[in-house]
Amino acid sequence: MPRADFYLIAKDRFRDDPLRLVCELAKRAHTSGQPTLILARSLEQAEEIDGKLWEFDEDAFIPHQIAGDEDDEITPVLIVPPGTPTPDRPLVINLRDDCAPGLFERVLEVVPADAAQRAGSRQRWRTYQHAGFEVQKHDM
């Protein structure tokens, strides 16, 4: 059964820097050997995540790149700006307003602390539930 995990940002260290949670989730995925897509909201956000993955943990090396070239196939963590086609991966970290497209075993939804930005997450929760996903919530 596919799974959707919703990570609701509450703690100050993530509230002040929500992309830190994205980096920590990507690190966990890479450590467990799961090829991962990070669906960014914009090219700017993709570039910000790219930079953060280099610096957020000096003891961790997470092979990653912004999607769009011949190395996509071999790079464990792909950061995907809107409009960039990529092959499906088992794990998706979704930062967009819409449900993650494609085929995957698990999606991690990062939900901002801001109430206005949380509204779409309720709709995504219902959509995943109706599609037969096991849905879970985690307060971060």
Side-chain angles (χ1 to χ4, degrees):
M1 174 184 286
R3 209 167 116 190
D5 291 277
F6 283 72
Y7 290 85
L8 292 111
I9 293 177
K11 294 180 182 149
D12 286 344
R13 72 185 179 121
F14 296 133
R15 188 185 295 266
D16 297 341
D17 185 4
L19 295 182
R20 179 173 179 81
L21 176 58
V22 174
C23 291
E24 289 191 14
L25 294 172
K27 177 183 168 186
R28 271 193 236 164
H30 177 63
T31 302
S32 70
Q34 294 183 72
T36 303
L37 294 178
I38 300 175
L39 302 180
R41 289 176 168 271
S42 63
L43 179 58
E44 295 75 26
Q45 186 183 56
E47 290 168 345
E48 193 178 346
I49 294 166
D50 181 40
K52 273 198 184 313
L53 279 170
W54 287 114
E55 64 194 33
F56 93 103
D57 183 343
E58 60 192 37
D59 297 327
F61 172 68
I62 302 156
H64 69 280
Q65 71 175 31
I66 294 177
D69 69 26
E70 66 280 352
D71 289 336
D72 286 2
E73 208 56 50
I74 60 168
T75 303
V77 176
L78 276 184
I79 306 162
V80 187
T84 304
T86 56
D88 292 329
R89 297 263 174 116
L91 182 66
V92 176
I93 298 172
N94 188 28
L95 304 176
R96 298 182 187 165
D97 291 330
D98 298 320
C99 288
L103 298 171
F104 47 86
E105 296 161 20
R106 190 167 172 212
V107 61
L108 310 181
E109 290 275 345
V110 176
V111 183
D114 180 75
Q117 293 180 322
R118 282 194 173 186
S121 66
R122 290 183 184 91
Q123 182 59 48
R124 290 193 303 279
W125 177 288
R126 286 192 293 275
T127 301
Y128 289 126
Q129 232 173 4
H130 290 309
F133 282 68
E134 177 188 334
V135 185
Q136 296 182 355
K137 176 176 87 78
H138 310 274
D139 291 312
M140 299 304 286

